[in-house]
Amino acid sequence: MTNVRTAKVKVKSKCVDSTQRKKDGLPSEHQIQSCFFDWVRLSTKAHPELRLCIAIPNAAKRSPGLAAWLRREGLTAGVPDVLLLVPRGIWCGLAIEFKRPGGKISPAQSFMIDDMRGEGWKVAVMHSTEEAITIVKEYLG
């Protein structure tokens, strides 16, 4: 299990337990992101602005009909997995794209990341829960 520390809380999360890992022994993006949101939920007292940390559920498998329905509502390929809707310094917000260790971003994600950076977003591609927690803490100051 991975220990994720908050200001005064120590969390033992099952989201990256070795029994739940993929066949290659590496955690999935879902497991990494779930563990990150365990930390977010437990850290909102110390960092109230984390209430504005939201997930963008683009990765879920959908039927063609539901996918078309969601695209009509504005679902867009390439949007990062997590948005922190809090401006800091020169940045209008922080976006995080989770990838499992060794994972690479898609062309749609690359275009979206470039566009977001051009509009003043800090965007990071993270391969672990710990990396994501570190960048959020640094971002919030």
Side-chain angles (χ1 to χ4, degrees):
M1 287 197 214
T2 298
N3 293 330
V4 180
R5 296 180 189 272
T6 63
K8 295 181 180 178
V9 181
K10 186 175 181 181
V11 181
K12 285 197 174 188
S13 177
K14 294 181 180 177
C15 61
V16 291
D17 186 294
S18 62
T19 62
Q20 297 177 342
R21 292 176 188 233
K22 296 232 177 194
K23 291 179 183 176
D24 60 9
L26 299 173
S28 69
E29 288 180 35
H30 170 78
Q31 291 164 336
I32 295 167
Q33 185 171 330
S34 295
C35 194
F36 171 76
F37 272 100
D38 286 347
W39 173 81
V40 167
R41 283 185 283 276
L42 289 166
S43 298
T44 54
K45 191 170 186 175
H47 301 285
E49 55 271 72
L50 287 174
R51 291 183 310 238
L52 296 173
C53 187
I54 62 171
I56 306 299
N58 268 2
K61 302 294 181 213
R62 300 175 175 93
S63 69
L66 179 57
W69 176 284
L70 293 172
R71 279 193 301 277
R72 289 200 53 176
E73 288 186 348
L75 184 72
T76 304
V79 175
D81 297 313
V82 175
L83 300 178
L84 179 55
L85 306 172
V86 177
R88 283 292 187 270
I90 64 169
W91 308 108
C92 63
L94 172 65
I96 299 172
E97 174 60 35
F98 283 104
K99 291 292 174 195
R100 62 193 309 256
K104 306 232 184 280
I105 61 173
S106 70
Q109 290 168 330
S110 180
F111 289 126
M112 181 63 72
I113 288 169
D114 289 346
D115 286 349
M116 289 179 76
R117 286 179 175 154
E119 293 297 328
W121 282 81
K122 181 176 180 72
V123 184
V125 178
M126 301 282 103
H127 294 89
S128 74
T129 300
E130 293 78 11
E131 285 179 327
I133 291 169
T134 297
I135 198 163
V136 169
K137 286 181 174 180
E138 289 172 358
Y139 180 80
L140 293 176

